[in-house]
Amino acid sequence: MAKKKTKSKPKKEKKMKLGTFKETAREKLIGQHIGYRYDVNLLPDYKKITPFLKKYVEAMGWDDLNWLEDVHMGYEEGRPAVFCRNANGWVTIPKSIKLPDNQQDRDMIARELLVKFQMSPKHPLVDLKKAYLKF
Amino acid sequence: MANLKTTEKKTKAQAMGMHTEVLTGRTQQKFFNPDEAENFYYFGTYDVDFNKRTDLDVKDMTAAEANKKIDGLMSEGYGTIVIKNPQGKHSLGVGILNKLNLIFEGSLGYFGMGSCDGPIVRINGRVGWSCAENLMAGKVVIEKNAGSCFGAAIRGGDLICKGSVGARTGIDMKGGTIIIGGDAGAFTGFMMQRGRIIILGDVGINLGDSMYDGTIFVGGEIGSYGSDAVDAELTKSDQDWLKRKLKVAEIGENFDVSKMKKIVAGKKLWNYDNLEPTEKKGAI
Amino acid sequence: MERILPYSLRYEVEYDKKDLLEFSQKIESIPGVEILSMGKSLEVIKDLGNAKMVCDRYNLDKVVGTHAIGHARMATESGVDIKSAHPFWGYPFSDVSVVHNGQLTNYWNNRRALENKGMRFMSECDSELIAVYIAQRMREGATLEEGMKESLSGLDGVFTYFVATKDSLGMAKDTMAAKPLVLYESDDLVAMGSEEIAIRSILPQEIDTYDPFDGEVKVWQI
């Protein structure tokens, strides 16, 4: 009996730990915890747009963030990162970049970094295109 | 063979008691300097000028010929291309991975503008089934009606239809925004995983059937809700976003967004509770 | 009598019998004879080959009329032969024909039930069920539109089909809207097809076309 008790205790603690996430408005609404560290449905706050992103949107001829609306800062192996769909991998945020403590600002940084990565000659797609591009 | 299940690979998630996947296969690590990439140029794309304009009559061309010709014009630096007489041809304008201003003076058949990444397209006519399928980025505006499977599996970008659309709009969509000025048919937002759909008019039966995530905004009447689609509260940030998005889409100028209904996934069929972002990358 | 091809004949006959069933049964009692269609104003032409070949064989471009339906079949449910080709005649009603895109999943159940009621099937193609189903409903006194509306629940599977009768043209789409249809309607012309490119070949100018929604039935009187 005593053994069982000691075994079940840590499990409970873990559950408590999971439940201590700050509940977002959407989580309250659907009554469930969202496993993502960010809400995929979070709409961008255009007041927080960075100068680089403004220039990017202008260069592409769009009126707003377009596909970047779906880009958020997440976590990979405990480090802040943004997912690059072109490379199918995570771009980790350099430690030199200080991250603000709200998701909207973090998302803008993630977007900026992702665009820069995709346009960098070091992007994995560059090698792939060089090797396989047909037309 | 290397044992990939080494204990050092324990992630934060594992420490928290969450389930993690073990990735097999080759992985690469790339380093880059964010400051050296401010040239707004994607490798392998053409440097086009929006002010350089040309016309292209595709009446007597096959879809493959027309698409090759568009590619050729982009390589010459044309940034605005007007396509004349598309006459309902299938698969026109597919696979454009470039910034471009493309205007179709007429209607498209099936799979128009499929697998595009970046262009701004205006179609002064109707589009057939599966328009802008797999759109990655960019903006596609349809002035008239659209067929079924409008914006199937899109991952990003804005897809706008000023008229009405058929069934299964935004089926399997994984991002982006679909805006419909008129009515939508049955199974709108079927199996959607992410992204947003805005319908100003009425919508048919089984709205948001089996949706995993994402948001649907409806201005008119709803035929019926699909499995796991539930009502949600329209917030202030939703309304601001809707107003801004409708302005970008050039429709519903005087539309009262505060009366729109918001539909989200009830997450009874699927929830991300025990999943880490690494595992969800397929959905991104 | 006109012999069009070695295997097909067009007869013009006068008959005063009201019940076509008896009349057609008498003709088909001759061994090796099958009626593809019978009517006062509608003619069903079935053959193998593409649209151009069949058109040339039967001089279809010379035919003058008010309405026509056509179908190029990609056989999935039954063999490639003339009897399984569309349009299907709504035996034994004069001037009822159907073309269909889709698959019907309750074909055998419906076929058995309809055969028990004395209806006849000429092929094993699931599309024929629609023609026979509507013919049976009309035999019971329903109008074409009523019969078509009933078919939405009576037939299971995915379908978009057209019906042409002597003086009307109709379309129906299943409740899942799984099969395509593009429709153009004006005061003096109705054009519809699976693909817009077909409509554009006769109406190259810019016109407003649309997709009918799920479970929609439309009948036009000519």
Side-chain angles (χ1 to χ4, degrees), chain B:
Chain B
M1 230 177 99
N3 182 13
L4 289 160
K5 290 183 179 176
T6 47
T7 44
E8 301 96 81
K9 289 232 167 183
K10 262 195 173 180
T11 61
K12 195 179 170 191
Q14 270 177 309
M16 290 164 75
M18 286 176 165
H19 166 79
T20 54
E21 66 176 359
V22 178
L23 291 171
T24 52
R26 280 190 305 175
T27 54
Q28 269 188 329
Q29 199 167 12
K30 288 262 180 183
F31 296 94
F32 87 107
N33 181 3
D35 298 327
E36 64 184 30
E38 286 212 18
N39 50 4
F40 299 112
Y41 172 75
Y42 287 102
F43 177 80
T45 62
Y46 305 115
D47 190 16
V48 298
D49 179 5
F50 283 139
N51 296 318
K52 213 173 158 193
R53 185 187 171 107
T54 184
D55 287 1
L56 178 66
D57 193 333
V58 296
K59 198 178 175 191
D60 302 317
M61 288 184 196
T62 63
E65 284 165 355
N67 291 336
K68 245 187 183 148
K69 191 88 188 147
I70 294 170
D71 194 69
L73 289 170
M74 286 194 300
S75 70
E76 289 167 32
Y78 287 103
T80 302
I81 303 172
V82 182
I83 309 286
K84 305 248 168 162
N85 293 315
Q87 306 253 321
K89 283 195 176 76
H90 302 316
S91 309
L92 279 182
V94 297
I96 297 172
L97 313 173
N98 218 82
K99 72 172 191 180
L100 178 71
N101 202 352
L102 192 61
I103 300 153
F104 284 94
E105 297 283 357
S107 300
L108 303 188
Y110 297 173
F111 305 107
M113 302 313 302
S115 302
C116 281
D117 191 358
I120 301 163
V121 188
R122 187 172 293 275
I123 299 155
N124 295 321
R126 179 194 167 275
V127 291
W129 273 37
S130 293
C131 176
E133 194 176 22
N134 265 313
L135 182 75
M136 297 289 272
K139 184 178 163 188
V140 180
V141 184
I142 289 104
E143 295 287 340
K144 290 181 181 171
N145 300 319
S148 293
C149 298
F150 184 60
I154 68 165
R155 279 149 194 272
D158 293 343
L159 191 48
I160 299 142
C161 175
K162 295 190 179 177
S164 294
V165 295
R168 297 180 296 284
T169 301
I171 177 172
D172 204 20
M173 71 187 277
K174 300 167 179 82
T177 310
I178 298 177
I179 307 171
I180 294 139
D183 301 336
F187 289 94
T188 298
F190 183 40
M191 293 199 298
M192 73 184 283
Q193 289 150 42
R194 204 167 164 175
R196 300 148 298 276
I197 302 177
I198 307 168
I199 303 140
L200 298 188
D202 300 340
V203 65
I205 56 164
N206 295 337
L207 173 70
D209 191 65
S210 311
M211 62 193 283
Y212 294 72
D213 214 328
T215 320
I216 306 173
F217 299 97
V218 183
E221 297 293 316
I222 297 170
S224 70
Y225 285 70
S227 173
D228 213 22
V230 294
D231 274 319
E233 193 191 337
L234 196 72
T235 63
K236 175 81 177 52
S237 83
D238 288 334
Q239 290 187 33
D240 291 346
W241 179 81
L242 280 167
K243 268 186 214 155
R244 204 184 45 72
K245 214 69 193 171
L246 289 180
K247 203 175 156 198
V248 168
E250 301 157 20
I251 48 171
E253 243 175 75
N254 304 314
F255 197 84
D256 185 5
V257 293
S258 65
K259 291 204 174 102
M260 287 190 97
K261 291 176 206 102
K262 181 180 171 185
I263 291 101
V264 298
K267 305 228 176 174
K268 292 281 181 287
L269 296 177
W270 183 264
N271 69 70
Y272 299 114
D273 233 21
N274 296 323
L275 295 171
E276 266 290 277
T278 329
E279 295 170 57
K280 291 315 298 166
K281 64 186 170 191
I284 293 174

Side-chain angles (χ1 to χ4, degrees), chain B residues 87-90 106-107 110 124-126 129 144-148 164-168 183-187 205, chain C residues 173 175-182 194-197 200-201 203-214:
Chain B
Q87 306 253 321
K89 283 195 176 76
H90 302 316
S107 300
Y110 297 173
N124 295 321
R126 179 194 167 275
W129 273 37
K144 290 181 181 171
N145 300 319
S148 293
S164 294
V165 295
R168 297 180 296 284
D183 301 336
F187 289 94
I205 56 164
Chain C
K173 209 169 172 179
T175 48
M176 287 197 287
K179 289 287 165 186
L181 180 64
V182 187
S194 293
E195 303 175 11
E196 179 149 347
I197 203 162
R200 292 282 163 193
S201 61
L203 297 162
Q205 72 275 25
E206 205 40 53
I207 45 165
D208 278 347
T209 52
Y210 70 98
D211 275 44
F213 287 121
D214 44 285

Side-chain angles (χ1 to χ4, degrees), chain C residues 83-97:
Chain C
K83 69 178 180 182
S84 300
H86 297 225
F88 285 102
W89 172 41
Y91 179 92
F93 277 84
S94 76
D95 308 320
V96 176
S97 63

Side-chain angles (χ1 to χ4, degrees), chain A residues 56-68:
Chain A
Y56 170 72
V57 164
E58 220 166 84
M60 295 304 284
W62 299 328
D63 307 292
D64 57 8
L65 282 170
N66 203 281
W67 71 280
L68 292 170

Side-chain angles (χ1 to χ4, degrees), chain A residues 13-125:
Chain A
E13 268 171 21
K14 268 179 192 169
K15 270 194 174 175
M16 284 290 285
K17 216 174 176 182
L18 279 171
T20 49
F21 281 106
K22 201 183 160 199
E23 212 175 6
T24 61
R26 192 176 168 84
E27 282 176 331
K28 264 184 200 158
L29 184 94
I30 58 173
Q32 278 192 34
H33 165 63
I34 296 166
Y36 279 122
R37 302 301 159 73
Y38 55 92
D39 183 356
V40 295
N41 299 293
L42 186 72
L43 298 167
D45 183 356
Y46 277 81
K47 284 178 213 130
K48 314 247 170 171
I49 193 163
T50 62
F52 172 83
L53 286 174
K54 244 186 197 171
K55 268 201 267 173
Y56 170 72
V57 164
E58 220 166 84
M60 295 304 284
W62 299 328
D63 307 292
D64 57 8
L65 282 170
N66 203 281
W67 71 280
L68 292 170
E69 285 194 343
D70 289 295
V71 174
H72 301 273
M73 190 179 285
Y75 290 86
E76 166 72 348
E77 304 209 329
R79 287 183 65 188
V82 56
F83 187 76
C84 175
R85 64 188 184 185
N86 290 4
N88 200 30
W90 289 86
V91 186
T92 45
I93 313 289
K95 278 176 184 154
S96 58
I97 296 178
K98 276 208 165 183
L99 290 179
D101 62 353
N102 71 81
Q103 187 67 36
Q104 286 288 5
D105 279 321
R106 288 158 93 97
D107 285 352
M108 288 297 173
I109 290 168
R111 285 168 190 140
E112 188 173 323
L113 202 76
L114 179 61
V115 169
K116 283 177 176 173
F117 177 56
Q118 289 191 346
M119 290 195 284
S120 150
K122 303 261 178 66
H123 192 276
L125 213 61

